[in-house]
Amino acid sequence: MTGAQIRHLLSDLAQLPLEKRGKVAGLNPARADIIISGLAIIERIMVHLHVNVVQVHTRGVRDGLLLTMVQVSHGGRRQIISPEARTAAVEQFAKSCGVDLTHAKQVARIAGSLWTSWLSRWG
């Protein structure tokens, strides 16, 4: 998104009451109360750093950071990385941070199982 797009979005959302912001397509209703502050911060950071374009990541911040770190570890180029290479890079990063990879994988399996179970019951 460009700085102008951020400013327009900020202006548009600031004019909406909280209830209507929660119904805006693409906006997580649970974040409707903080989106204006978040956009204002992003806009000010862009101005301060003299940046006119920001890449919007559709997942979480941590996921975006990990993907960026993986790209940097593969020569810093913006390239498509296979899922296997991405997994290997994330595991290497985790190891460098002292993560018990066996335990982390077990926690991930259990969380995935709980999520799948919850979806089949309530989703």
Side-chain angles (χ1 to χ4, degrees):
M1 294 183 77
T2 66
Q5 289 171 317
I6 297 277
R7 286 187 294 280
H8 287 296
L9 182 59
L10 180 57
S11 174
D12 291 347
L13 290 175
Q15 294 178 30
L16 294 176
L18 179 60
E19 183 179 315
K20 287 190 178 183
R21 272 198 314 267
K23 295 178 182 176
V24 171
L27 177 61
N28 181 341
R31 298 193 179 227
D33 59 336
I34 61 169
I35 189 65
I36 293 172
S37 300
L39 284 170
I41 291 168
I42 290 169
E43 193 273 334
R44 290 288 74 201
I45 290 172
M46 290 175 72
V47 168
H48 180 76
L49 296 176
H50 305 287
V51 172
N52 189 44
V53 177
V54 65
Q55 182 176 352
V56 177
H57 195 278
T58 58
R59 296 185 190 168
V61 172
R62 288 175 297 223
D63 187 59
L65 287 171
L66 282 173
L67 289 175
T68 298
M69 293 165 75
V70 167
Q71 288 175 338
V72 168
S73 73
H74 282 273
R77 296 178 308 268
R78 295 277 177 191
Q79 60 187 11
I80 296 173
I81 301 169
S82 73
E84 297 80 16
R86 184 179 304 131
T87 298
V90 168
E91 287 180 2
Q92 182 59 42
F93 174 71
K95 286 179 187 175
S96 74
C97 293
V99 171
D100 178 347
L101 210 48
T102 303
H103 177 71
K105 287 180 179 182
Q106 178 65 12
V107 169
R109 276 191 294 277
I110 292 169
S113 176
L114 289 170
W115 177 249
T116 302
S117 175
W118 183 87
L119 279 179
S120 67
R121 181 175 291 180
W122 304 105

